[in-house]
Amino acid sequence: MVYSQAAYCPCGQEIWLEYIRAQGEGGWRCRFFDEQNQEISVCPACGRPLNEEELASR
């Protein structure tokens, strides 16, 4: 199962989050994507390392 949603870096940049059911772990794994659907680990606008807890929804 996959679930995705848009969130925003504190600088205002839109980031897509994808939640994937973790196999054998009983939880969820989160990945971050930019507007071109490329997996990223830092905000493309400000360079901040992405952290699920620091992203805001609108």
Side-chain angles (χ1 to χ4, degrees):
M1 174 180 264
V2 176
Y3 173 72
S4 63
Q5 71 179 42
Y8 297 85
C9 178
C11 77
Q13 176 69 39
E14 182 177 74
I15 306 291
W16 279 93
L17 287 79
E18 179 181 85
Y19 296 96
I20 302 170
R21 190 81 171 162
Q23 294 290 339
E25 298 175 26
W28 293 87
R29 189 173 140 236
C30 180
R31 299 191 309 172
F32 306 102
F33 292 88
D34 64 13
E35 295 170 343
Q36 289 77 40
N37 204 30
Q38 300 294 313
E39 188 171 5
I40 57 174
S41 60
V42 298
C43 175
C46 70
R48 176 190 294 249
L50 296 173
N51 180 324
E52 184 180 1
E53 286 80 33
E54 294 178 359
L55 299 177
S57 60
R58 286 194 185 158

